[in-house]
Amino acid sequence: MYSEKVMDHFSNPRNVGEIEGASGVGTVGNAKCGDIMRIYLDIDENQIIRDCKFKTFGCGAAVATSSMATELVKGKSVQEAMEVTNKAVMEALDGLPPVKVHCSLLAEEAIHAALWDYAQKNGITIEGLQKPKSDIHEGEEDGEEY
Ligand code: FES
């Protein structure tokens, strides 16, 4: 039911971890399944994403999409990163089963939340970027392991 690429990114996820002093951090959750994803962005002075890491407490499809999403945004400008939609991530993974499409949304939302955090900190506007609905505030998840 999963493509080879999904299986590959699930069993061997890229860019797992955190970035200390990240330029932007976004944490989002899916209320339905309770899965949580956090994305860290390291952005240079030319607004190019130098590095990207993630932590996901969630299902296999969420792990695979976050892995692929981090690969896709690396090296892109913050504006170009807006094009890394859940659709783009799914295409890069050769598709996801319909019941797992919502998992890929988490990756898109987490990137947007991290970009929003970066934009807020630096007082810039990223075209098309809206305030994330589901960004989970730091501190609310104290004591949780993920
Ligand atoms: Fe929750 Fe996949 S089932 S993100």
Side-chain angles (χ1 to χ4, degrees):
M1 103 173 193
Y2 287 119
S3 74
E4 264 175 46
K5 279 195 193 157
V6 173
M7 289 313 290
D8 176 32
H9 278 265
F10 170 57
S11 6
N12 178 24
R14 329 296 199 261
N15 311 310
V16 176
E18 34 187 295
I19 297 175
E20 233 178 278
S23 322
V25 183
T27 310
V28 295
N30 182 310
K32 260 193 220 148
C33 61
D35 291 350
I36 294 170
M37 185 183 297
R38 176 174 289 171
I39 295 251
Y40 300 82
L41 296 174
D42 176 25
I43 300 169
D44 73 11
E45 59 285 358
N46 298 315
Q47 301 188 358
I48 304 293
I49 299 170
R50 233 182 336 219
D51 200 9
C52 178
K53 296 234 186 286
F54 81 93
K55 277 186 169 181
T56 292
F57 184 75
C59 73
V63 171
T65 47
S66 13
S67 168
M68 181 55 95
T70 53
E71 286 284 90
L72 290 177
V73 298
K74 261 206 235 174
K76 287 199 165 61
S77 70
V78 292
Q79 196 61 61
E80 287 164 350
M82 290 297 292
E83 285 157 30
V84 181
T85 57
N86 78 307
K87 205 166 156 261
V89 175
M90 281 199 296
E91 271 168 23
L93 286 168
D94 293 337
L96 278 175
V99 292
K100 288 289 174 184
V101 170
H102 76 273
C103 316
S104 66
L105 268 173
L106 218 47
E108 177 185 313
E109 285 169 6
I111 289 174
H112 286 183
L115 285 172
W116 179 264
D117 182 37
Y118 163 76
Q120 289 288 98
K121 282 181 183 152
N122 292 277
I124 61 160
T125 310
I126 300 173
E127 218 186 300
L129 182 64
Q130 281 165 9
K131 190 174 185 330
K133 272 181 264 150
S134 49
D135 199 3
I136 299 170
H137 200 267
E138 288 276 350
E140 279 174 22
E141 65 239 341
D142 272 356
E144 266 181 46
E145 270 303 302
Y146 67 91

